[in-house]
Coordinates of all heavy atoms in Angstrom, one line a residue:
I195 N 25.2 -20.7 -1.1 CA 24.2 -20.0 -0.2 C 23.2 -21.0 0.3 O 22.9 -21.0 1.5 CB 23.5 -18.8 -0.9 CG1 24.5 -17.7 -1.3 CG2 22.4 -18.2 -0.1 CD1 23.9 -16.6 -2.2
M198 N 24.6 -23.1 3.0 CA 25.1 -22.3 4.1 C 26.6 -22.2 4.2 O 27.1 -21.9 5.3 CB 24.4 -22.7 5.4 CG 22.9 -22.3 5.4 SD 22.1 -22.8 6.9 CE 22.9 -21.8 8.2
I200 N 28.0 -20.0 2.4 CA 27.9 -18.6 2.5 C 26.6 -18.3 3.2 O 25.6 -18.7 2.8 CB 27.8 -17.9 1.0 CG1 29.1 -18.2 0.2 CG2 27.5 -16.4 1.1 CD1 29.0 -17.8 -1.2
R201 N 26.7 -17.6 4.4 CA 25.6 -17.4 5.2 C 25.6 -16.1 6.0 O 26.7 -15.5 6.1 CB 25.4 -18.6 6.2 CG 26.7 -19.0 7.0 CD 26.3 -19.4 8.4 NE 25.7 -18.4 9.1 CZ 26.3 -17.4 9.7 NH1 27.6 -17.2 9.6 NH2 25.6 -16.5 10.4
G202 N 24.5 -15.8 6.6 CA 24.4 -14.5 7.3 C 23.9 -13.5 6.3 O 24.3 -13.5 5.1
A203 N 22.9 -12.7 6.7 CA 22.2 -11.9 5.7 C 23.0 -10.9 4.9 O 22.9 -10.8 3.7 CB 21.1 -11.0 6.5
A204 N 24.0 -10.2 5.6 CA 24.8 -9.3 4.8 C 25.8 -10.0 3.9 O 26.0 -9.5 2.7 CB 25.6 -8.4 5.8
T205 N 26.3 -11.1 4.3 CA 27.3 -11.8 3.5 C 26.6 -12.4 2.3 O 27.2 -12.5 1.2 CB 27.9 -12.9 4.4 OG1 28.4 -12.3 5.6 CG2 29.1 -13.6 3.7
I206 N 25.3 -12.9 2.5 CA 24.6 -13.4 1.4 C 24.3 -12.3 0.3 O 24.5 -12.5 -0.9 CB 23.2 -14.0 1.9 CG1 23.5 -15.3 2.6 CG2 22.3 -14.3 0.7 CD1 22.2 -15.8 3.4
R244 N 17.5 -18.9 -0.5 CA 17.0 -18.9 0.9 C 15.9 -17.8 1.0 O 16.2 -16.7 0.5 CB 18.1 -18.7 1.9 CG 19.1 -19.8 2.0 CD 20.1 -19.6 3.1 NE 19.6 -19.9 4.4 CZ 20.2 -19.6 5.6 NH1 21.3 -19.0 5.6 NH2 19.6 -20.0 6.7
A247 N 16.1 -13.9 4.6 CA 16.9 -12.6 4.7 C 16.6 -11.7 3.5 O 16.9 -12.0 2.3 CB 18.4 -12.9 4.7
S249 N 17.8 -9.0 2.7 CA 19.0 -8.3 2.1 C 19.3 -9.0 0.7 O 19.8 -8.3 -0.1 CB 20.2 -8.5 3.0 OG 20.3 -9.9 3.4
R288 N 28.1 -1.1 7.4 CA 28.4 -1.9 8.6 C 29.3 -1.1 9.5 O 29.2 -1.1 10.7 CB 29.1 -3.2 8.1 CG 29.2 -4.2 9.3 CD 29.9 -5.4 8.9 NE 31.3 -5.1 8.5 CZ 31.8 -5.5 7.3 NH1 31.1 -6.2 6.5 NH2 33.0 -5.2 7.0
H308 N 23.6 -14.2 20.1 CA 22.9 -15.4 19.5 C 23.3 -15.5 18.1 O 23.3 -14.4 17.4 CB 21.4 -15.3 19.7 CG 20.7 -16.5 19.3 ND1 20.9 -17.8 19.8 CD2 19.7 -16.7 18.4 CE1 20.1 -18.7 19.3 NE2 19.3 -18.0 18.4
C309 N 23.6 -16.6 17.6 CA 24.0 -16.9 16.2 C 25.3 -16.1 15.8 O 26.1 -15.8 16.7 CB 22.9 -16.5 15.2 SG 23.0 -17.2 13.6
H310 N 25.5 -15.7 14.6 CA 26.7 -15.0 14.2 C 26.2 -13.9 13.2 O 25.6 -14.1 12.2 CB 27.7 -15.8 13.4 CG 28.7 -15.0 12.7 ND1 28.7 -14.8 11.3 CD2 29.8 -14.4 13.2 CE1 29.7 -14.0 11.0 NE2 30.4 -13.8 12.1
S311 N 26.4 -12.6 13.6 CA 26.0 -11.5 12.9 C 27.1 -10.5 12.7 O 27.7 -10.1 13.6 CB 24.8 -10.8 13.6 OG 24.7 -9.4 13.2
T312 N 27.4 -10.2 11.4 CA 28.5 -9.3 11.1 C 28.1 -7.9 11.6 O 29.0 -7.1 12.0 CB 28.9 -9.3 9.6 OG1 27.7 -9.0 8.9 CG2 29.5 -10.6 9.2
D313 N 26.8 -7.5 11.5 CA 26.4 -6.2 12.0 C 26.6 -6.1 13.5 O 27.0 -5.1 14.0 CB 25.0 -5.9 11.5 CG 24.9 -5.5 10.1 OD1 25.9 -5.3 9.4 OD2 23.7 -5.4 9.6
A314 N 26.2 -7.2 14.2 CA 26.3 -7.1 15.7 C 27.8 -7.0 16.1 O 28.2 -6.3 16.9 CB 25.7 -8.4 16.3
L315 N 28.6 -7.8 15.4 CA 30.0 -7.8 15.7 C 30.7 -6.5 15.4 O 31.7 -6.1 16.0 CB 30.8 -9.0 15.0 CG 30.5 -10.4 15.6 CD1 31.1 -11.5 14.8 CD2 31.1 -10.4 17.1
T335 N 23.9 -21.8 19.6 CA 23.0 -21.7 18.5 C 22.8 -23.0 17.7 O 23.4 -23.2 16.6 CB 23.4 -20.5 17.5 OG1 23.7 -19.4 18.3 CG2 22.2 -20.2 16.6
R338 N 23.1 -25.4 14.0 CA 24.3 -25.3 13.2 C 25.5 -24.6 13.9 O 26.5 -24.5 13.3 CB 23.9 -24.5 11.9 CG 22.8 -25.3 11.2 CD 22.8 -25.3 9.7 NE 24.0 -25.3 9.0 CZ 24.2 -25.9 7.9 NH1 23.3 -26.6 7.4 NH2 25.4 -25.7 7.3
Q340 N 26.4 -21.6 14.9 CA 27.0 -20.4 14.4 C 27.7 -19.6 15.5 O 28.5 -18.7 15.3 CB 26.0 -19.5 13.7 CG 25.5 -20.0 12.4 CD 24.2 -20.8 12.5 OE1 24.0 -21.4 13.6 NE2 23.4 -20.8 11.5
I343 N 31.3 -19.5 15.3 CA 31.9 -18.4 14.4 C 32.1 -17.1 15.2 O 33.1 -16.4 15.1 CB 31.1 -18.2 13.2 CG1 30.8 -19.5 12.4 CG2 31.7 -17.2 12.2 CD1 29.7 -19.4 11.3
V375 N 22.1 -8.9 19.1 CA 21.9 -9.8 17.9 C 21.8 -9.0 16.6 O 21.6 -7.8 16.6 CB 20.6 -10.6 18.1 CG1 20.7 -11.6 19.3 CG2 19.4 -9.7 18.3
G376 N 21.8 -9.7 15.5 CA 21.6 -9.1 14.2 C 20.1 -9.4 13.8 O 19.3 -9.8 14.6
A377 N 19.9 -9.2 12.5 CA 18.6 -9.5 11.9 C 18.7 -10.0 10.5 O 19.6 -9.5 9.7 CB 17.7 -8.3 12.0
D378 N 17.8 -10.8 10.1 CA 17.7 -11.2 8.7 C 16.7 -10.4 7.9 O 16.9 -10.1 6.7 CB 17.3 -12.7 8.6 CG 18.4 -13.6 9.0 OD1 18.6 -13.8 10.2 OD2 19.2 -14.0 8.1
S379 N 15.7 -9.9 8.7 CA 14.7 -9.0 8.1 C 14.1 -8.3 9.3 O 14.0 -8.8 10.4 CB 13.6 -9.8 7.4 OG 14.0 -10.3 6.1
I387 N 13.1 -10.4 12.6 CA 13.2 -11.8 12.2 C 14.7 -12.1 12.2 O 15.5 -11.5 11.5 CB 12.6 -12.0 10.7 CG1 11.1 -11.7 10.8 CG2 12.9 -13.4 10.3 CD1 10.7 -10.3 10.6
N388 N 15.0 -13.1 13.0 CA 16.4 -13.5 13.2 C 16.5 -15.0 13.6 O 15.4 -15.6 13.7 CB 17.1 -12.6 14.3 CG 18.6 -12.8 14.3 OD1 19.3 -12.8 13.3 ND2 19.2 -13.0 15.5
K389 N 17.7 -15.5 13.7 CA 17.9 -16.9 14.0 C 16.9 -17.5 15.1 O 16.7 -16.8 16.1 CB 19.3 -17.1 14.4 CG 19.8 -18.6 14.7 CD 19.5 -19.5 13.6 CE 20.1 -19.1 12.3 NZ 19.6 -19.9 11.2
I390 N 16.4 -18.7 14.8 CA 15.5 -19.3 15.7 C 16.1 -19.3 17.2 O 17.2 -19.6 17.4 CB 15.2 -20.8 15.3 CG1 14.0 -21.4 16.1 CG2 16.4 -21.7 15.3 CD1 12.7 -21.0 15.7
T392 N 15.9 -16.4 18.9 CA 16.1 -14.9 19.3 C 14.8 -14.5 20.1 O 15.0 -13.7 21.1 CB 16.2 -14.1 18.0 OG1 17.4 -14.6 17.3 CG2 16.4 -12.6 18.3
A409 N 21.3 -5.1 15.8 CA 22.2 -4.4 14.9 C 21.8 -4.8 13.5 O 22.0 -6.0 13.1 CB 23.7 -4.7 15.1
A410 N 21.3 -3.9 12.7 CA 20.8 -4.3 11.3 C 20.9 -3.1 10.4 O 20.1 -2.1 10.6 CB 19.3 -4.8 11.5
Q411 N 21.7 -3.2 9.4 CA 21.8 -2.1 8.4 C 20.5 -2.1 7.6 O 19.7 -3.1 7.6 CB 23.0 -2.2 7.6 CG 23.4 -3.5 7.0 CD 24.6 -3.4 6.2 OE1 24.6 -2.7 5.2 NE2 25.7 -4.1 6.6
I413 N 19.6 -2.4 4.7 CA 19.3 -3.4 3.7 C 18.5 -4.6 4.3 O 17.9 -5.4 3.6 CB 20.7 -3.9 3.2 CG1 20.6 -4.7 1.9 CG2 21.4 -4.8 4.2 CD1 20.5 -3.9 0.7
K414 N 18.4 -4.6 5.6 CA 17.6 -5.7 6.3 C 16.1 -5.3 6.4 O 15.3 -6.1 6.9 CB 18.1 -6.0 7.7 CG 19.6 -6.1 7.8 CD 20.1 -7.4 7.2 CE 21.7 -7.5 7.3 NZ 22.2 -7.6 8.6
E428 N 12.2 -19.7 6.8 CA 12.8 -20.9 6.2 C 12.7 -22.1 7.1 O 13.0 -22.0 8.3 CB 14.3 -20.6 5.9 CG 15.0 -21.7 5.3 CD 16.5 -21.4 5.1 OE1 17.0 -20.4 5.6 OE2 17.2 -22.2 4.4
R430 N 14.4 -25.8 7.4 CA 15.6 -26.5 6.8 C 15.4 -28.0 7.1 O 14.5 -28.5 7.8 CB 16.9 -26.0 7.4 CG 17.1 -24.5 6.9 CD 18.5 -24.1 7.2 NE 19.5 -24.8 6.5 CZ 19.9 -24.6 5.3 NH1 19.5 -23.6 4.6 NH2 20.9 -25.4 4.7
A469 N 14.3 -22.2 10.8 CA 15.6 -21.5 10.9 C 15.5 -20.2 11.6 O 16.5 -19.7 12.1 CB 16.3 -21.4 9.6
F470 N 14.3 -19.6 11.6 CA 14.2 -18.2 12.1 C 13.0 -18.0 12.9 O 12.1 -18.9 12.8 CB 14.2 -17.2 10.9 CG 15.4 -17.3 10.1 CD1 15.4 -18.0 8.9 CD2 16.6 -16.7 10.5 CE1 16.6 -18.1 8.1 CE2 17.8 -16.8 9.7 CZ 17.8 -17.5 8.5
Ligands
RUB181 C1 22.2 -15.9 10.4 C2 21.5 -14.9 11.3 C3 22.1 -13.6 11.6 C4 21.6 -12.6 10.6 C5 22.4 -11.3 10.6 O1 21.4 -17.0 10.0 O2 20.4 -15.2 11.8 O3 21.9 -13.1 12.8 O4 21.7 -13.1 9.2 O5 23.7 -11.5 10.2 P1 22.0 -18.1 9.1 P2 24.6 -10.3 9.5 O6 23.3 -18.6 9.7 O7 21.0 -19.2 9.0 O8 22.3 -17.5 7.7 O9 24.6 -9.2 10.5 O10 25.9 -10.9 9.3 O11 23.9 -9.9 8.3

Side-chain angles (χ1 to χ4, degrees):
I195 294 171
M198 289 179 67
I200 296 171
R201 52 145 296 283
T205 308
I206 290 170
R244 295 189 75 191
S249 48
R288 190 185 61 235
H308 186 57
C309 199
H310 166 260
S311 157
T312 54
D313 282 350
L315 284 172
T335 317
R338 304 217 27 149
Q340 291 93 331
I343 307 170
V375 293
D378 289 85
S379 286
I387 294 84
N388 191 48
K389 181 56 55 194
I390 189 80
T392 303
Q411 46 178 297
I413 194 82
K414 317 286 180 62
E428 177 183 13
R430 294 193 61 87
F470 301 99

